[in-house]
Amino acid sequence: MIISGKELSTKLKAEMAEEVAGFPAKYGRVPHLVVVLVGDDPASHSYVRGKAKASEVVGIKNTTILKPDTITEEELLALISGLNADDTVDGILVQLPLPGHINESRIINAISKEKDVDGFHPLNVAALWMKQPCIVSCTPKGIIRMLEAAGVEIKGKRAVVIGRSQIVGLPVAKLLLDRNATVTICHSKTVDLPSITRQAEILVVAIGRPRFVTGDMVSEGTVVIDVGVNRDPETGKLCGDVDFDAVEPKASVITPVPGGVGPMTICCLMENTIECFLRRSS
Ligand code: NAP
């Protein structure tokens, strides 16, 4: 079974659009997401366009603020401070990566935790690990949504996550643990990775290496979630961290790249924006 993140996100966005359509009558306005984009990295521009398009579909007001990469850290902090104080703004997202002269942590820490739709603020991260109400970051949340939609039982399963980044590997491992999977986290220093991945009943791969997970690394019936977004060195096309053609025949459930986790990440950004709006409106 191939889980199409594209189809699932279309369905969820349509449901959100219905909900948001009722907001003006109830709350006098719709949620407002502000995306700050620094510099002219084409990939970042494309991600930001995707976020604006999804906002339009859902009925969320989207403002994209473009700044040149000559902006100073202080100027960016001042911009965020203004957005934090602006009552008409529900969600603030600063598109990463930022230019080298800007300290990303300082910028993320400056976003009000109530408007941190990416869920990257240390207080939201801490709340996740302490099982307190928080904004869960979009990619891990999207992965869980996909598993749920595919009817995958997480409880009691052996889950292996390859990658331990703050934005994907660690939070998705925590969400799986919270749903009672037995979780192993692997990374670049893991010894004999294939012997561990072959034990996985659920395998989440977030490393950023084209087609790294080969058929012999996966057992029959495994649920495989491919988070990677890479350029195929030969064709230049988008590909995942999993060798899809080799792994798909063995997997019980698998996500494609493109059209898998990526669209669900944007979908969950919409969910988080609505969540921030509702918390602020109640
Ligand atoms: P990252 O911060 O670079 O982390 C990569 C992780 O993979 C690290 O923990 C690293 O281990 C591990 N790793 C690297 N090489 C490995 C190897 N040979 N064996 C085992 N582990 C290895 O990356 P990220 O931000 O988590 O992103 C991972 C991928 O997901 C990228 O392709 C990214 O573009 C994609 N992504 C997609 C979405 C989406 O919405 N679809 C969202 C976010 C990210 P160490 O910790 O030991 O260095």
Side-chain angles (χ1 to χ4, degrees), residues 6 9-10 25 42 55 58 63 69 84 89 127 132 137 160 206 210 256 281:
K6 206 172 160 197
S9 66
T10 301
S55 301
V58 172
T63 304
D69 57 11
N84 284 341
V89 173
Q132 289 177 12
S137 60
V160 174
S281 303

Side-chain angles (χ1 to χ4, degrees), residues 82-101:
L83 295 170
N84 284 341
D86 185 340
D87 252 353
T88 69
V89 173
D90 302 291
I92 304 168
L93 183 152
V94 178
Q95 184 65 43
L96 302 178
L98 289 169
H101 66 278

Side-chain angles (χ1 to χ4, degrees), residues 47 138-139 162-169 186-190 193 205-209 212 226-230 239-241 260-266:
Y47 290 138
C138 305
T139 303
I162 321 182
R164 55 176 164 179
S165 70
Q166 292 289 344
I167 61 166
V168 190
C186 302
H187 45 78
S188 66
K189 308 292 181 291
T190 297
L193 183 65
V205 192
I207 56 180
R209 287 173 189 254
F212 178 86
D226 187 354
V227 187
V229 180
N230 311 296
C239 74
D241 288 345
V261 174
M264 287 306 295
T265 297
I266 296 190

